[in-house]
Amino acid sequence: DVPVPAPLDPARLVEAIPAEKDVEGVTAQNLGRLYAQKSWDAIKKAEVLVPCTANAIAHLVLEAKVPLAGRHAVVVGRSTIVGRPTAHLLSTLDATVTLCHSKSADLARYVADADVLVTALGKPGAVKGAWVKPGAVVADAGISTQEGQLVGDVEAASAAQRAAWLTPVPGGVGPLTVTFLLYNTVLAAERRTRKTLG
């Protein structure tokens, strides 16, 4: 969500951003360009600014050398800036993706079947550690405050005993999200410079 006070309309504010300056990758034009691409290589070649957290998650999985082709990835959360673009990026990396959300019936069943699990609900402990498939890769992108502490969506202590790896909250997806925000800023500036000089 875009944190703006009433009566401002977040959707109208986002769409007022020129696509070439949309370093968070949230305008309809950038998202449309993203979803039009069918492969990871096509995304890299397209004039698109990828949503930062989704890009961070995909790169974490790639850097960990997790084989994705044919594996079942479950994304819990359907937001425009994290859940949906993450599901798309994982599909371009040949994972078979299921997109779940807060209204999904029997969430535990989907989580238990996930080779790769991404959470982005922003609800502390929404995903129980006992649900996590042994050996799964878990990227927790949910951020909430509980008793003055930053926590994720996944019950970390119990999930860590089952998962092959689990991103910490804080300190996991967040810092890389900031990195991709800076990356998009530089990329947008380079593209603008090329067009100006070009």
Side-chain angles (χ1 to χ4, degrees), residues 15-72:
E15 289 312 311
I17 301 168
E20 66 274 8
K21 294 182 180 181
D22 172 25
V23 295
E24 291 196 55
V26 295
T27 60
Q29 190 170 352
N30 267 314
L31 289 171
R33 285 179 183 156
L34 174 66
Y35 296 136
Q37 311 310 315
K38 294 181 181 178
S39 73
W40 184 256
D41 288 339
I43 290 170
K44 295 299 162 202
K45 293 174 186 171
E47 289 278 316
V48 60
L49 295 167
V50 179
C52 306
T53 303
N55 214 359
I57 292 165
H59 277 84
L60 279 169
V61 172
L62 285 170
E63 286 299 315
K65 307 286 191 254
V66 174
L68 286 172
R71 304 289 293 281
H72 186 200

Side-chain angles (χ1 to χ4, degrees), residues 104-174:
S104 293
D106 200 6
L107 182 60
R109 177 174 61 89
Y110 292 105
V111 171
D113 191 46
D115 300 307
V116 176
L117 174 64
V118 177
T119 64
L121 283 173
K123 295 184 178 178
V127 176
K128 308 303 177 198
W131 298 351
V132 174
K133 181 178 184 177
V137 168
V138 182
D140 190 345
I143 296 285
S144 302
T145 304
Q146 191 173 48
E147 298 175 8
Q149 300 281 331
L150 279 179
V151 295
D153 292 337
V154 179
E155 289 181 343
S158 54
Q161 295 175 7
R162 299 172 65 85
W165 64 261
L166 167 68
T167 58
V169 177
V173 175

